[in-house]
Amino acid sequence: MPGVGYGQLAGLSGKVSLDTGWARKFYVCRMPGFDYMFTTYSALIIAQGDIDTAGNFSVNFPATKDESLYRLHFIRKGDPASTLIIGSRDVNHVFFIAKQADLIHFEKTPGLPISQSGISGSKANSGLNTLLRLAGNDTTGNNTFIAVADTSTSQLVGLLAISHTDKLSDSQKERVSALLARYDQYNAYGTHILQEYRITNYWKLYLAGCILSIAVLSVYGYLFYKRRAILKIWRELSQREMDIVGLILSGKSNKEVALALNIELSTVKTHVNNIYAKLGVNNRKDLDRYKDLIG
């Protein structure tokens, strides 16, 4: 990229064994926030390259001075570059943490699906792999995520672990507040979390009778968790269903959607019924709550 010096780059290399259904391409995206981890559009792509016949690939990509979260993904032949496959054996992506001058490596074991455990190159990524494995288990509780944050040397891993907590007890909130006090208060990945758990002298608030302030914080917390609940439901959609939702929200009719995607009208109607069922909506107007998830 023009104007980007070596000191502003990080390196990514890897070796993958892909069947003939996969394109010989790879893509690197920078996630500006945790809400973007399962969002896909071409503007997020910061680097790309070819995979050689032996499965090797490498690229230098623009990196930030401090840790940032990135996504590496591959695509099947004929799929758009921004395609993301979630929740199946054909999952096509992994996440990694990098900063300037880091060297990250990914390796896919032949015969096995693309796996987060294939990322290596720093202690932060070891912690990230562990965290994402725990996050994929529905039985992982708040105390486990808090423990990960407490022991991690990476603020980014810590913040991501805290973002996975839900319905904390008062004692758990105190532990999280103590952890966040050690973090950079201007870390962009922690903006919402730091605001939610901003260290405040609650006794002074109580004595001063600042009921309004407490009410505002409660509303903010409700909206924060509601946003996460909506995002969790959104991730249940397939890539095709996400595309159809995007076209519907842009004002296209079912017939126009069919023409845009080159599929039958009956197929569009089937997809729309499935989308409504997954998202718990009854009509197009109800889909507006998902509008900000469309890139």
Side-chain angles (χ1 to χ4, degrees):
M1 289 190 175
V4 179
Y6 181 77
Q8 296 174 277
L9 299 177
L12 171 68
S13 63
K15 184 177 179 65
V16 292
S17 174
L18 300 172
D19 62 41
T20 56
W22 293 88
R24 311 300 294 185
K25 299 283 292 184
F26 69 93
Y27 302 88
V28 178
C29 298
R30 179 179 178 274
M31 308 287 95
F34 297 144
D35 283 353
Y36 290 81
M37 290 178 68
F38 299 97
T39 298
T40 175
Y41 49 93
S42 57
L44 291 176
I45 298 174
I46 60 170
Q48 59 183 286
D50 297 319
I51 304 171
D52 68 21
T53 54
N56 298 301
F57 66 91
S58 65
V59 70
N60 290 327
F61 59 93
T64 52
K65 181 180 178 181
D66 298 315
E67 290 181 340
S68 285
L69 184 64
Y70 298 85
R71 184 176 64 214
L72 165 67
H73 76 271
F74 309 88
I75 60 171
R76 286 200 164 275
K77 291 179 178 177
D79 284 347
S82 59
T83 300
L84 206 61
I85 303 174
I86 301 170
S88 75
R89 184 176 173 82
D90 278 344
V91 62
N92 68 335
H93 62 279
V94 293
F95 299 97
F96 65 90
I97 294 171
K99 60 182 183 300
Q100 291 174 9
D102 278 351
L103 299 176
I104 309 300
H105 186 76
F106 174 72
E107 191 147 338
K108 175 190 174 297
T109 304
L112 295 179
I114 292 169
S115 171
Q116 182 64 40
S117 62
I119 283 288
S120 62
S122 71
K123 190 173 182 179
N125 282 301
S126 177
L128 178 65
N129 292 349
T130 298
L131 171 59
L132 293 180
R133 175 176 55 80
L134 291 170
N137 186 339
D138 291 337
T139 63
T140 303
N142 289 333
N143 286 331
T144 300
F145 288 125
I146 294 172
V148 170
D150 189 27
T151 57
S152 176
T153 57
S154 165
Q155 287 194 18
L156 202 157
V157 170
L159 288 167
L160 183 57
I162 291 170
S163 77
H164 279 89
T165 60
D166 188 30
K167 298 179 180 178
L168 298 177
S169 66
D170 289 341
S171 62
Q172 289 172 336
K173 288 179 180 179
E174 289 179 5
R175 290 175 62 192
V176 170
S177 293
L179 283 172
L180 293 177
R182 308 191 322 231
Y183 289 1
D184 174 7
Q185 300 300 299
Y186 298 97
N187 189 310
Y189 287 95
T191 300
H192 297 305
I193 298 171
L194 290 165
Q195 287 178 355
E196 184 180 2
Y197 292 101
R198 187 71 66 188
I199 299 173
T200 310
N201 189 325
Y202 294 103
W203 285 109
K204 288 184 178 179
L205 285 176
Y206 177 78
L207 294 173
C210 297
I211 298 175
L212 179 60
S213 296
I214 295 174
V216 169
L217 288 173
S218 298
V219 170
Y220 180 84
Y222 168 77
L223 293 175
F224 177 78
Y225 287 114
K226 183 179 180 182
R227 160 77 176 179
R228 285 208 319 204
I230 290 175
L231 186 59
K232 184 176 181 180
I233 296 172
W234 172 257
R235 293 171 184 165
E236 298 296 323
L237 298 185
S238 67
Q239 182 63 45
R240 175 64 81 187
E241 289 168 340
M242 289 181 185
D243 292 339
I244 289 173
V245 172
L247 290 170
I248 289 175
L249 291 177
S250 71
K252 294 188 182 298
S253 65
N254 285 353
K255 185 175 181 180
E256 289 171 326
V257 171
L259 290 173
L261 298 179
N262 195 25
I263 57 178
E264 296 294 331
L265 179 59
S266 59
T267 302
V268 173
K269 292 179 178 179
T270 299
H271 278 307
V272 170
N273 288 334
N274 290 337
I275 290 167
Y276 285 0
K278 288 181 179 180
L279 299 184
V281 300
N282 298 312
N283 52 55
R284 289 172 171 244
K285 185 177 180 180
D286 290 344
L287 285 175
D288 282 345
R289 75 184 70 166
Y290 296 93
K291 200 163 189 176
D292 64 339
L293 296 179
I294 305 297

